[in-house]
Amino acid sequence: MKKQTTAGTYLAQSSLLRLLAVLALVVAPHLTRMPPWIGAIVAALAVWRALAALRQWPLPPQWLKVLFAIAAFVAINAAYGRVNGQHAGTALLVIMLGLKLTEMRERRDVLVVVALCYFTMLTHFLFSQEIWTILYLGACSVGVTAVLIESNHPGAPLSPRVTLRLGAAMVGLALPLMLALFVLFPRVPGPLWGLPADAGAARSGISDTMSPGDISSLIQSDEVAFRVEFLGAPPPMNLRYWRGPVLSYFDGRRWSAPFKGDDYFRVYNPGTQLNAFAPASATLAGEPVRYRVTMEPHRQNWLFALDLPESRALPPNATLSGYYQMLSRELVKERLRYEAVSYPRYVLDAEMTPQWQRSAQRLPDDRNPRTLALARQWRAEGLDDSQVVERALRLFRSEPFFYTLEPPTLGQDMVDGFLFDTRRGFCEHYASAFTVLMRAAGVPARVVVGYQGGELNDVGGYYVVRQSDAHAWSEVWLAGRGWVRVDPTAAVAPNRIERGLSEALAPSELPDFLRREGLTAFEYFRLNADTAWDYVNVAWDQWVLGFDQERQFELLSRIGLGEWRDMVIALTVVITAFLGLIGLLSLRAARIAMPKDEALRLWRRATRVLAKRGLPQDPAEGPRDYAARVARERPELAPAMEQLARAYVAARYYGDRPRENALELAAALKSLTA
């Protein structure tokens, strides 16, 4: 009968517990992104493995381990709908790392677990590349390397202090080579391989639909949407409208982006021409605004630009829709940097086709009857389009409307309920109600969602646009003027547009991160610390995460290595020098260390002094004979030589008073050199 293998065959119990602790450290951040049952399974496997080693339980049979592996595949596929990709693949790797503990019986199995830990650390970069991630994984690297050292050490386990010190030393020795490779290794444009379809950050930020509460919910978030560095004087706050999705379809409650048949179909299907919906045309005037945007990933196609972007200065792989929205041809899954040029003064679509006009006037017939009646009453008074716009804005300014994050719930006819009953709402309420009023009066209108404003980072000199800066406004088409931006929020809460959200809401409604008054000393310190930390993150993004081919050539050109040939030569020299240094250090460590002999050092120093005086020591001459000969030839040195020889012989051959003998030697040497 085959003997069962117990769980404590190879690693000592203390070493196994350290391995489990390091494994927990490596997978811990992943468990916060996964369903709770995955963390429970990995924790249960680790606890079982520790108890099995302590109590000498047998390892599970082969058929049970195969069953566990199949169950893991089935469970991951059920939870994610797939077993590959960023999220599902990482979850499967974490579970398999836990299952590997059930068959860890030999040194090879331990090394496989260590290798899997190294690989699992790499997967963290699929989710985050922030500075804290690098520091955390650096600590994990030291821990995993310490376990690797311990697993290769024969005999009794080393102490944690020793293995951690050796692990830190090995990681530290690798850092210079890593930095050299980072700076000198030729960068290739684009990734070496395609990322999985679900790679990148989770979807966040504004959407291509808008209904009551959508924008106000974003106000609670202090996440960064993008950062802007103006390459010149920044425009004033009331002109910083960052154009995003344009919403022209309304079902009575929700606004949404166009469907096929409008310009989006043409953008996502290049080469298709829909004559009924001609591309937008713009006449730009005045001084341009040039700026550089660093956008956080949001898993959508849109890019944000100030009204109105220059079509001839678009970022690579970007285009403009028929609504003059800047779009990327690929989903923004990773942090993206691009430059753009915009003109605050413009005329957009001075001419409009009947198809565009009908698209911008559509309304459901069975919704919001009081709003429709009010708009038709204005038109019946003989007001033209511009006067209708002014009448609607006057309504918001003169009537008791309130700008609030906590509006009452609206019924089926939400615009009627807002305009005539509650009169309390956020920017999406005002933009929606104004646009419906315009369409009901026959004025072409649409909703634009994006961001407005941005906060200056005093340390870095750039502007930070957060999710809390999300905003919605309207555009109306006026004959001879084209599409004109009209922000009804400015009629109700002008401080929102002129000075920011924190000046427009009641203090009780402001999230903590937006409060600027009544701060305690600690809160004020934290605010300044957050500003400085954001600048550090921007520098990290530009010089580490964004260190592309262009930046590499820019940096290396400053030190005379701008050519590929020079770069390769420098890389070869650095690697050769580094490996040579490692070799020298290894030889030095392997050299047999000779014990230090203070008496011999002092004796040799004395003989060198006498040799310069013409009295060298013969190789076959002992210390006493040498001292006697020197005394015969130079009688004045006889007392010092007698003391020197006596102290040296006592120190080298008796050693009963090493300190006293060393002092006596030093005194005799001083007498000789006096």
Side-chain angles (χ1 to χ4, degrees), residues 45 60 63-73 95-96 99 102:
L45 289 170
W63 66 267
L64 186 56
K65 291 183 288 188
V66 172
L67 185 61
F68 285 160
I70 295 175
F73 272 90
I95 287 187
M96 289 303 175
L99 289 176
T102 64

Side-chain angles (χ1 to χ4, degrees), residues 235-258:
M237 182 82 159
N238 59 0
L239 291 181
R240 292 205 295 268
Y241 282 85
W242 303 95
R243 190 181 189 86
V246 180
L247 315 180
S248 65
Y249 285 85
F250 184 58
D251 63 4
R253 182 174 183 85
R254 179 180 296 272
W255 290 89
S256 58

Side-chain angles (χ1 to χ4, degrees), residues 560-582:
L561 298 177
E563 300 294 333
W564 280 97
R565 181 178 61 85
D566 298 334
M567 189 187 307
V568 172
I569 292 175
L571 183 63
T572 303
V573 170
V574 169
I575 293 178
T576 303
F578 180 80
L579 294 179
L581 178 62
I582 294 297

Side-chain angles (χ1 to χ4, degrees), residues 164 261 273 421 502 569 586 660:
L164 288 174
Q273 296 297 325
D421 300 327
S502 60
I569 292 175
S586 300
E660 290 78 358

Side-chain angles (χ1 to χ4, degrees), residues 618-639:
D618 190 274
E621 197 172 26
R624 288 176 175 171
D625 294 336
Y626 177 54
R629 180 170 63 84
V630 171
R632 288 193 303 270
E633 296 180 11
R634 299 285 296 273
E636 71 275 11
L637 299 179

Side-chain angles (χ1 to χ4, degrees), residues 180-192:
L181 291 174
F182 178 81
V183 174
L184 296 175
F185 195 85
R187 300 271 165 166
V188 294
L192 294 176

